[in-house]
């Protein structure tokens, strides 16, 4: 049973009179289930942690005679100019594949 289904079952079986404490408890349960639904729409705890980590700038991987790489997913952040030289895309603030915020400091 999903949270939504549980909410509907509780609401449809709610006592109409008396049972003040039971109604209060059921209202609290409904509120808790609705809050859980909102959090599940955002994503799992792991997904949220991953998203927060990607907001922290990470240094781009730059090695001599190699393209610049995203520090998270290793996608190429440069284009080859031939003869082993690369033009790095230093204006790129986020990785085009994974969304990692990029730190190009120290790069000309």
């Amino acid at each position: 049973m999903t949270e939504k289904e549980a909410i509907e079952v509780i609401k449809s079986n709610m006592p109409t009179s008396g049972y003040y404490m039971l109604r209060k408890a059921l209202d609290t349960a409904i509120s808790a289930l609705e809050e859980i639904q909102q959090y599940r729409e955002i994503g799992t705890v792991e997904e949220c942690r991953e998203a927060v980590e990607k907001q922290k700038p990470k240094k781009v991987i730059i090695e001599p005679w190699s393209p610049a790489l995203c520090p998270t997913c290793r996608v190429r952040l440069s284009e080859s100019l031939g003869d082993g030289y690369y033009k790095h895309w230093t204006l790129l603030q986020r990785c085009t594949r994974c969304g990692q915020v990029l730190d190009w400091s120290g790069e000309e």
Side-chain angles (χ1 to χ4, degrees), residues 24-40:
K24 187 90 169 147
L26 292 172
D27 285 339
T28 301
I30 289 170
S31 293
L33 289 169
E34 288 171 344
E35 187 173 337
I36 288 170
Q37 283 181 309
Q38 291 173 349
Y39 281 113
R40 288 212 173 133

Side-chain angles (χ1 to χ4, degrees), residues 91-103:
L91 294 178
L92 199 59
Q93 295 179 352
R94 292 183 177 274
C95 175
T96 55
R97 180 190 291 162
C98 72
Q100 173 66 53
V101 176
L102 302 171
D103 177 3

Side-chain angles (χ1 to χ4, degrees), residues 5 15-17 24 40 50 60 62 71-72 92-93 98:
E5 292 167 338
T16 54
S17 62
K24 187 90 169 147
R40 288 212 173 133
E50 184 180 318
V60 174
I62 300 175
T72 301
L92 199 59
Q93 295 179 352
C98 72

Side-chain angles (χ1 to χ4, degrees), residues 3-106:
E3 290 91 5
K4 185 175 183 174
E5 292 167 338
I7 290 168
E8 291 306 313
V9 168
I10 292 170
K11 283 182 177 179
S12 65
N13 290 292
M14 185 78 77
T16 54
S17 62
Y19 303 102
Y20 173 78
M21 291 185 68
L22 175 60
R23 286 195 335 228
K24 187 90 169 147
L26 292 172
D27 285 339
T28 301
I30 289 170
S31 293
L33 289 169
E34 288 171 344
E35 187 173 337
I36 288 170
Q37 283 181 309
Q38 291 173 349
Y39 281 113
R40 288 212 173 133
E41 287 177 18
I42 294 170
T44 65
V45 173
E46 293 79 21
E47 290 170 334
C48 291
R49 281 191 187 125
E50 184 180 318
V52 167
E53 281 302 310
K54 286 185 180 179
Q55 301 307 309
K56 298 175 185 175
K58 289 187 181 178
K59 290 282 282 175
V60 174
I61 300 168
I62 300 175
E63 295 181 5
W65 309 103
S66 298
L69 302 175
C70 171
T72 301
C73 71
R74 303 288 200 260
V75 72
R76 180 182 279 207
L77 303 171
S78 304
E79 62 184 292
S80 177
L81 298 176
D83 296 337
Y85 291 99
Y86 289 88
K87 169 68 176 151
H88 302 317
W89 302 327
T90 54
L91 294 178
L92 199 59
Q93 295 179 352
R94 292 183 177 274
C95 175
T96 55
R97 180 190 291 162
C98 72
Q100 173 66 53
V101 176
L102 302 171
D103 177 3
W104 290 94
S105 62

